[in-house]
Amino acid sequence: GINFDPLKQNLFIFSKDSLITFDPESEKTAAIPYANKLPVPMVLGKSIFNTREDKCYIYELFDIPKGMASIASLNMHNLTWEAIGKTILPQQRHHHNMFYNLSQDSIYLFGGYGGYRYYDKFIKYDPGKDTWEEVPFKGDKIMPRFFAASGPSDNADEVLIFGGYGNESGNQVVGGRQLYDLYRINLKTHSVKKCWTLHPPSGEVFVPANNLVLSPDKKYFYALCYPHEIARTTLKLYKFSIADGAYQVVSAPIPVVSEKIESDINLFFDHKTNKFICSIQEFTDRARSTIKLYSLLGPPVSNAVYLSSLGPAPVSHPALIYVWVVLVVTLIGGGIIVYKRRRRRPEPAVVSPIETLGAEQSKDGRKKPNAIFMLGEFKVSDKHGMDVTHLFSPKIKQLFLLILLKSRDNGGVASKKISSLLWPDKDAAKTKNIKGVTFNHLRNIISSLEGIELVFRDDHYQFEVSEQIFCDYFLVSDLVRSQTAADEQEVFNHFDILSRGRLLADMPDQWLDEYKDRYEERLIAVLQPMLATHYQAGDITLVSELARLILEIDPFNDVALKYQLKGLRKLKGIEHSRKLY
């Protein structure tokens, strides 16, 4: 599980045997074993932090062995666990909300889903009786729901509950719908007051993630929102007015996979660094999950405001939009890997030769249609700009890329070659059926794209591709085909694409090695000479970005390392440079 320590202003991940902390300021992690054994067998790993006691309470509501502890507290000073109680509920409460009263001596839960029902009850934990007891609230009625978000209000005695998914009856069989309403929950008077209901434009569907973050002036709240019914989708940070619900999107999208109901998304705010932090816990099975962290420097702004801030000014180059930082924290028990992406604000008084348009966006700001992305994370969008990446199983993706790359260089690939590369452990004759099924799935997928057609000619499969199809790898390959032919301004114009990362980084297939090696050699040959040129010109920020990109491809490139350290020494001082080295 994961939570945020408001006292120390850091994130912490709790596994079966140790606590892993992440400091957003220093970007360092530390793992410390517990003083004693965790008494709760974790299923969902839900928790709530008590600032008054400096303790984190973790709890499970359902599906744990009889007689085992269901609630325990972790003392953050000495990392000692204390079992609190053993009570559980008759059904699980997926994606419920949890919060304290003002004195932080009572834990409240609201809503959730389990046993084919959406819930609308407030329940409170009674440590004296070791029971979860329903607490009646007067005032406006809240419809049964899960996937709501809760957080602090502009009134100390209240919490806010926003949105979710559910229906009037609470019965899942009837069907559910997205809810866009805001409520004030007064934990002193036990009353509920409805503030407003939104009516988003047609086609805009979303639910919020767990937590709301209140703005400094207490006039707005921030929430991470996404269409939860789509397994592979994106999160965006929304800013809502508490007074009337007026809202706007104030971040770039974050990719997320929520195939399992256990998947968990949280929003935190680090006052020390002025950063919003998004944590995404994606479950592959009940025993293993991946935690990804993303941070956004505050105050967050809309895409239009951000782009307008990049207008002409007297100096030369700004920082790029995104800097990805990878945290690797592998937990044997929990199998957790942590990633972090940091978004930097641009220098306001700077002009750049680098295009600021997102690599996956067309010029009107929408998702690029008919697009194939091979640099960094593999992605495909159809003719309407919809992400169809989730349709590519590993084998379909291998088949698609094999034919696409061979079509560009060699006029396609022979049928026998496909069998030997993709099913090397099977006789070619025995792969006929499975190959036919894979090809049928591939044809169905590419039918949603325009400008690409699969043909079979002279015992070779190949794609006939028109200019309607965009492919980032093809574009950059043409750009860096030779060092002398590369136009520096064209490189800058497509820096957002270059910055996506290495060619098909998540695919270890040996037949891809020749493509990867050729691409990386040509790209480094183009980028490396720019380091000295722009360093001498005083474009230190640009030099840092060029060096970072080269080092992602070739971590032992001594030229890029030298200029990265020289640049950081000027930007942040010799100590920072020495630490990086």
Side-chain angles (χ1 to χ4, degrees):
I2 187 167
N3 211 320
F4 187 80
D5 185 339
L7 301 177
K8 299 183 182 69
Q9 292 289 295
N10 63 21
L11 286 116
F12 59 91
I13 298 164
F14 46 93
S15 70
K16 290 180 180 179
D17 55 12
S18 57
L19 190 78
I20 295 92
T21 60
F22 170 67
D23 184 346
E25 186 173 31
S26 65
E27 297 176 359
K28 291 184 177 179
T29 58
I32 308 173
Y34 302 135
N36 58 335
K37 186 178 179 181
L38 166 66
V40 177
M42 286 195 293
V43 179
L44 299 181
K46 303 296 287 183
S47 68
I48 187 167
F49 195 92
N50 189 305
T51 55
R52 181 173 60 85
E53 299 176 345
D54 195 14
K55 292 181 179 180
C56 180
Y57 286 80
I58 76 160
Y59 62 91
E60 294 293 343
L61 300 176
F62 182 69
D63 197 21
I64 63 171
K66 188 175 182 180
M68 295 286 287
S70 60
I71 304 175
S73 66
L74 176 64
N75 187 312
M76 302 301 283
H77 287 291
N78 55 25
L79 296 191
T80 300
W81 285 104
E82 179 187 359
I84 304 297
K86 299 180 179 180
T87 185
I88 59 173
L89 297 177
Q91 293 290 345
Q92 187 60 274
R93 298 284 176 98
H94 289 288
H95 297 283
H96 61 268
N97 301 108
M98 81 286 284
F99 36 82
Y100 278 114
N101 60 354
L102 183 60
S103 60
Q104 293 195 13
D105 56 12
S106 297
I107 299 175
Y108 285 82
L109 306 183
F110 168 77
Y113 167 81
Y116 305 101
R117 293 202 62 81
Y118 311 118
Y119 292 93
D120 61 352
K121 304 301 182 186
F122 292 89
I123 57 176
K124 182 176 75 170
Y125 180 68
D126 185 332
K129 299 178 181 177
D130 187 24
T131 57
W132 289 101
E133 296 185 346
E134 183 179 335
V135 180
F137 275 67
K138 60 187 177 183
D140 294 319
K141 179 175 173 58
I142 307 182
M143 191 184 301
R145 67 190 64 198
F146 72 143
F147 280 110
S150 62
S153 168
D154 47 356
N155 184 330
D157 288 320
E158 295 178 343
V159 296
L160 299 175
I161 291 181
F162 169 67
Y165 187 91
N167 61 34
E168 291 86 346
S169 70
N171 187 349
Q172 184 202 7
V173 177
V174 178
R177 69 176 190 271
Q178 280 78 15
L179 307 169
Y180 304 103
D181 42 7
L182 179 71
Y183 295 86
R184 290 180 179 272
I185 313 300
N186 192 305
L187 297 174
K188 188 175 183 180
T189 62
H190 287 173
S191 61
V192 176
K193 181 181 179 182
K194 184 175 182 179
C195 302
W196 40 254
T197 297
L198 293 178
H199 300 284
S202 177
E204 185 174 9
V205 176
F206 61 82
V207 297
N210 290 323
N211 315 65
L212 303 179
V213 171
L214 200 61
S215 66
D217 61 7
K218 299 185 178 182
K219 294 181 179 179
Y220 303 91
F221 66 83
Y222 296 93
L224 287 165
C225 300
Y226 65 112
H228 82 283
E229 293 173 301
I230 302 175
R232 294 176 180 267
T233 183
T234 56
L235 295 161
K236 292 179 183 177
L237 187 67
Y238 282 59
K239 179 182 180 181
F240 296 88
S241 166
I242 294 178
D244 57 14
Y247 70 91
Q248 60 177 327
V249 176
V250 289
S251 81
I254 298 172
V256 61
V257 179
S258 58
E259 294 175 335
K260 301 286 185 181
I261 196 170
E262 293 87 357
S263 296
D264 197 39
I265 300 166
N266 292 283
L267 177 66
F268 307 110
F269 186 74
D270 179 15
H271 292 277
K272 189 166 57 175
T273 59
N274 196 35
K275 289 178 182 177
F276 289 84
I277 300 173
C278 163
S279 74
I280 303 173
Q281 186 174 10
E282 298 173 352
F283 280 79
T284 51
D285 56 54
R286 290 187 61 173
R288 188 170 299 275
S289 66
T290 299
I291 290 180
K292 299 179 181 179
L293 302 180
Y294 298 81
S295 73
L296 175 67
L297 190 60
V301 296
S302 67
N303 189 52
V305 172
Y306 173 73
L307 293 178
S308 68
S309 74
L310 304 175
V315 196
S316 33
H317 300 288
L320 291 177
I321 303 175
Y322 296 107
V323 177
W324 287 80
V325 180
V326 180
L327 304 170
V328 183
V329 183
T330 305
L331 307 181
I332 295 174
I336 299 176
I337 301 175
V338 181
Y339 299 94
K340 173 179 178 293
R341 181 176 72 175
R342 180 177 66 197
R343 170 177 171 172
R344 290 182 179 166
R345 281 187 297 185
E347 301 290 341
V350 180
V351 68
S352 172
I354 301 174
E355 257 191 21
T356 57
L357 191 66
E360 296 170 29
Q361 291 180 321
S362 53
K363 291 183 178 179
D364 59 3
R366 294 181 297 177
K367 280 282 187 181
K368 196 186 294 290
N370 292 314
I372 302 164
F373 295 95
M374 298 191 212
L375 303 181
E377 184 181 6
F378 172 77
K379 281 190 175 183
V380 179
S381 57
D382 67 11
K383 58 188 175 185
H384 302 297
M386 294 292 292
D387 189 344
V388 294
T389 313
H390 61 283
L391 300 177
F392 288 83
S393 68
K395 195 60 69 178
I396 295 173
K397 181 167 72 171
Q398 288 177 318
L399 178 62
F400 174 69
L401 292 170
L402 175 63
I403 299 173
L404 186 63
L405 292 170
K406 295 291 185 182
S407 298
R408 179 176 170 84
D409 292 345
N410 305 313
V413 56
S415 179
K416 288 185 179 179
K417 186 72 172 177
I418 293 174
S419 298
S420 64
L421 288 175
L422 301 192
W423 294 277
D425 54 338
K426 295 185 179 180
D427 184 85
K430 295 180 180 179
T431 64
K432 185 175 180 180
N433 287 339
I434 190 171
K435 188 164 70 174
V437 171
T438 308
F439 266 102
N440 285 338
H441 285 308
L442 178 59
R443 286 190 177 92
N444 288 335
I445 296 170
I446 65 171
S447 67
S448 65
L449 283 73
E450 291 178 345
I452 183 169
E453 183 181 359
L454 179 63
V455 297
F456 184 68
R457 187 183 297 123
D458 298 329
D459 198 39
H460 278 64
Y461 286 96
Q462 76 178 92
F463 284 122
E464 292 183 349
V465 180
S466 75
E467 292 182 356
Q468 290 176 286
I469 288 287
F470 169 83
C471 177
D472 60 351
Y473 166 66
F474 292 168
L475 185 150
V476 177
S477 293
D478 290 340
L479 191 64
V480 299
R481 190 167 292 278
S482 70
Q483 184 176 358
T484 55
D487 182 334
E488 184 174 295
Q489 186 56 50
E490 279 298 298
V491 171
F492 289 143
N493 288 345
H494 298 97
F495 212 92
D496 53 351
I497 294 173
L498 291 172
S499 297
R500 283 179 57 83
R502 304 179 68 175
L503 174 62
L504 298 169
D506 61 340
M507 293 187 65
D509 305 63
Q510 288 187 353
W511 63 268
L512 283 170
D513 288 348
E514 61 174 307
Y515 292 97
K516 293 181 177 182
D517 293 343
R518 184 168 64 243
Y519 169 76
E520 292 173 358
E521 286 173 5
R522 289 175 176 173
L523 183 59
I524 290 176
V526 169
L527 297 182
Q528 191 163 296
M530 296 181 187
L531 291 168
T533 303
H534 288 281
Y535 183 80
Q536 291 167 8
D539 301 332
I540 305 302
T541 304
L542 178 60
V543 169
S544 297
E545 294 301 327
L546 288 168
R548 179 187 58 80
L549 184 54
I550 294 171
L551 290 169
E552 282 185 3
I553 297 169
D554 177 11
F556 299 104
N557 187 294
D558 54 351
V559 176
L561 178 60
K562 178 180 75 172
Y563 279 100
Q564 185 182 52
L565 295 173
K566 284 159 70 81
L568 282 171
R569 182 170 179 173
K570 286 194 173 186
L571 288 172
K572 297 188 176 182
I574 190 169
E575 283 305 314
H576 188 93
S577 181
R578 182 180 287 115
K579 285 179 181 177
L580 179 76
Y581 176 75

